[in-house]
Amino acid sequence: AFDRETKARDAGREPLVLTLPAPATAPLQAQLRKAGFRWSKVLLHWEGLALHDDVAALAAEHGGSVRRIREADAATAPEAPAAAE
């Protein structure tokens, strides 16, 4: 039952990255978190699973951009070189 609920909740959601030209205000941060995003302190962008069309509209309102992260991109991304011993 839990698996079905999770699949129903995540239907249509996809991995996205949102970048903004300026720091997000507190109300915008709340909207992004509600949409399924989290702030990446390392990469300095918002990332999460969300509905693309909803997030694209939100990004456009604030002068930002949304990028889809496809599974194929992650699978073909080069691995980081191993540290020298």
Side-chain angles (χ1 to χ4, degrees), residues 17-25 28 32 39 43-46 55-66:
V17 170
L18 172 74
T19 54
L20 297 168
T25 61
L28 178 57
L32 292 170
W39 174 249
L43 300 175
L44 303 177
H45 65 218
W46 290 88
V55 175
L58 188 61
E61 287 177 34
H62 298 280
S65 64
V66 179

